[in-house]
Amino acid sequence: MDNLSLVIQNAQILLPSGEFILGAVQIQEGQIVQVGADLSSLNDRVLTIDATGLTLLPGVIDPQVHFREPGLEYKEDLFTASCACARGGVTSFLEMPNTRPLTTTQAALDDKLKRASEKCLVNYGFFIGATAENLPDLTEANPTPGIKIFMGSMQGDLLVDEETALDPIFAKGDRLIAVHAEDQARIRDRRAQFAGQTDPAVHSQIQDNQAALNATQLALKLSKKYHRRLHILHLSTAEEAELLRHDKPAWVTAEVTPQHLLLNTSAYKTIGTMAQMNPPLRSPHDNEVLWQALLDGVIDFIATDHAPHTLEEKAKPYPNTPSGMPGVETSLALMLTQAAQGRCTVAQVANWMSSAVAKAYRIPNKGAIAPGYDADLVLVDLDHYHPVLREEVLSKCGWSPFEGWSLTGWAQVTIVGGQVVYDRGKLQTDVRGQALRFDG
């Protein structure tokens, strides 16, 4: 943007303190340079956004997505997914390694980074996937937010479900380990018990609460054994939340998805296999306990686990349907609607969806509206409601499990690195995000 400043005026600005001020933010060369009540004395070389009636929040950092490229681009690709991010106010994402080929080597990581630099409208980072064989890559590959371990719900090389294979991964190095915690042996046994059943609701019985708890207990045991940074992905059960409430070392973090907070097993009756994901949706009781854990800080932040499949794939009868649902377009509006209903505050939502993620993954200069921070920002409308409509979905899969839900807090303007990437329905598809840094 050369020396041209971008100024956002007349916004309700969320400060790092959690307080709001009505004022302006000046951006130069991709960074925030001033935040204040009155920036009217700036020179002429200023591009201005009038944000009257809108609230300015740090851009969302979504720390768990599956964007399907390379190898599965018919479901989603880095361009379409980043367009969906921009519409949802997501300015950065951390993507998972179960693409084709798997992201288990430096070469595969470099390939994704190159693709993202050419296609992504928002900022990006990519996990390295653990197998039983790739220990050197896990400690040496860069840049990456951490190591992803599938303890369950996976086939092939990325399934690492035995303690004897997990122990060496926890033992070597100090890089954060993020786990999909489900007990694969229990899932196999229960799948045999429920064989022949075609009601998708049985998915939540096969991959039950105990399967999740078993794996989380094992990951926690190994993390404590080696004092290894551990992140528990998409926590889904009351039992896991209570375990962490009483036994959560300072180096352990956990996340929850909007769908595990807002959907439960009743969704199978209304949206069928579109409600199918791993770990599965749980009971209303689990919803309540997860909410309380989030409010109390037992759960640290929110991720979507955006995992799109085509409508044709989702239309297959259970158990032949793939698990997963899209989420980056709706996550912020879903959570801000909960704030509007009094379940939490807007400042808490911004912390869970931006600041706390940057802190946990040690991403510098992200997650706050303050001088010196990167200008990754979103202006949201907290005064009006708009439904989730299939025809407005930008994700390539073309559907949402929240279709028909009336939400507030939709992104109106999304800014990545000081550049407007989304403005009231229009994408600027020539904008490109940057590779995220991870300090330690």
Side-chain angles (χ1 to χ4, degrees):
M1 202 175 269
D2 302 317
N3 293 317
L4 184 68
S5 287
L6 174 64
V7 175
I8 302 165
Q9 292 182 324
N10 306 317
Q12 287 288 343
I13 303 165
L14 176 64
L15 300 177
S17 65
E19 301 298 311
F20 286 89
I21 63 163
L22 179 62
V25 172
Q26 183 190 9
I27 297 160
Q28 204 148 13
E29 296 179 352
Q31 285 201 323
I32 297 167
V33 293
Q34 285 192 78
V35 180
D38 182 15
L39 301 183
S40 57
S41 60
L42 295 168
N43 64 33
D44 293 336
R45 289 185 58 75
V46 170
L47 178 66
T48 301
I49 296 173
D50 183 0
T52 300
L54 302 178
T55 299
L56 187 66
L57 303 176
V60 172
I61 305 171
D62 191 332
Q64 191 195 172
V65 299
H66 301 265
F67 283 172
R68 307 305 191 196
E69 184 177 350
L72 298 164
E73 288 93 339
Y74 73 94
K75 299 176 192 275
E76 188 81 279
D77 61 56
L78 289 167
F79 175 75
T80 60
S82 65
C83 289
C85 284
R87 182 187 174 226
V90 176
T91 54
S92 301
F93 65 80
L94 305 182
E95 206 261 354
M96 290 299 165
N98 54 327
T99 43
R100 296 177 185 172
L102 305 173
T103 318
T104 56
T105 64
Q106 183 70 55
L109 179 61
D110 289 343
D111 176 63
K112 274 192 175 176
L113 288 163
K114 182 175 187 296
R115 289 166 180 267
S117 71
E118 295 166 353
K119 294 185 174 186
C120 277
L121 281 61
V122 302
N123 305 314
Y124 46 87
F126 299 99
F127 278 87
I128 188 99
T131 73
E133 312 296 333
N134 71 334
L135 266 176
D137 295 280
L138 297 185
T139 55
E140 296 166 12
N142 267 304
T144 182
I147 299 163
K148 168 69 179 285
I149 302 179
F150 287 92
M151 299 174 71
S153 294
M154 178 53 64
Q155 298 171 331
D157 290 345
L158 282 185
L159 177 63
V160 187
D161 59 339
E162 299 290 340
E163 186 170 353
T164 52
L166 290 162
D167 192 284
I169 300 171
F170 277 83
K172 187 171 184 181
D174 56 7
R175 178 168 279 170
L176 178 144
I177 292 173
V179 294
H180 179 127
E182 288 189 279
D183 179 346
Q184 189 66 23
R186 182 177 176 87
I187 292 170
R188 274 193 293 265
D189 290 345
R190 292 180 68 77
R191 195 169 282 149
Q193 289 177 37
F194 290 91
Q197 298 205 31
T198 57
D199 180 354
V202 79
H203 188 66
S204 293
Q205 295 174 264
I206 294 171
Q207 296 177 215
D208 66 349
N209 288 37
Q210 191 64 48
L213 179 63
N214 289 354
T216 293
Q217 286 172 326
L218 176 55
L220 193 59
K221 170 187 168 183
L222 292 170
S223 171
K224 289 163 70 174
K225 179 178 179 180
Y226 296 108
H227 281 234
R228 186 64 181 264
R229 284 171 68 203
L230 172 68
H231 178 63
I232 300 162
L233 298 159
H234 45 42
L235 204 78
S236 65
T237 71
E239 291 87 345
E240 291 168 287
E242 289 307 306
L243 170 66
L244 292 183
R245 186 178 290 279
H246 297 104
D247 186 9
K248 188 188 177 205
W251 58 87
V252 174
T253 52
E255 71 187 27
V256 67
T257 69
Q259 51 268 38
H260 284 117
L261 293 172
L262 301 173
L263 297 175
N264 52 56
T265 49
S266 67
Y268 291 115
K269 292 189 183 71
T270 53
I271 61 172
T273 53
M274 287 183 183
Q276 182 186 330
M277 67 172 295
N278 298 329
L281 300 179
R282 308 294 186 188
S283 71
H285 171 69
D286 292 293
N287 293 151
E288 293 301 319
V289 175
L290 292 170
W291 260 111
Q292 196 58 53
L294 181 62
L295 290 164
D296 293 343
V298 175
I299 297 173
D300 299 271
F301 51 82
I302 287 168
T304 65
D305 193 21
H306 177 97
H309 300 284
T310 67
L311 283 163
E312 290 76 16
E313 289 171 322
K314 280 293 194 177
K316 293 177 181 178
Y318 186 84
N320 300 317
T321 37
S323 294
M325 55 182 71
V328 292
E329 286 174 79
T330 51
S331 58
L332 181 58
L334 283 165
M335 294 308 299
L336 290 173
T337 301
Q338 294 299 302
Q341 294 171 1
R343 194 103 197 224
C344 55
T345 68
V346 173
Q348 283 174 313
V349 171
N351 179 55
W352 296 331
M353 301 190 76
S354 191
S355 312
V357 181
K359 179 182 176 185
Y361 284 104
R362 301 176 183 174
I363 306 170
N365 304 324
K366 305 285 188 193
I369 302 175
Y373 277 75
D374 294 338
D376 297 333
L377 303 164
V378 59
L379 280 164
V380 299
D381 181 353
L382 294 172
D383 293 329
H384 299 94
Y385 283 74
H386 183 76
V388 180
L389 300 173
R390 181 173 292 193
E391 58 267 27
E392 293 178 358
V393 170
L394 296 183
S395 171
K396 190 182 284 189
C397 71
W399 61 275
S400 167
F402 298 101
E403 282 169 46
W405 288 41
S406 183
L407 304 178
T408 191
W410 287 101
Q412 301 301 303
V413 179
T414 304
I415 297 167
V416 176
Q419 299 183 83
V420 175
V421 68
Y422 176 81
D423 186 353
R424 297 172 177 89
K426 293 182 179 176
L427 288 166
Q428 300 295 331
T429 56
D430 57 339
V431 174
R432 290 294 174 265
Q434 301 290 319
L436 293 170
R437 286 173 33 219
F438 308 98
D439 290 353

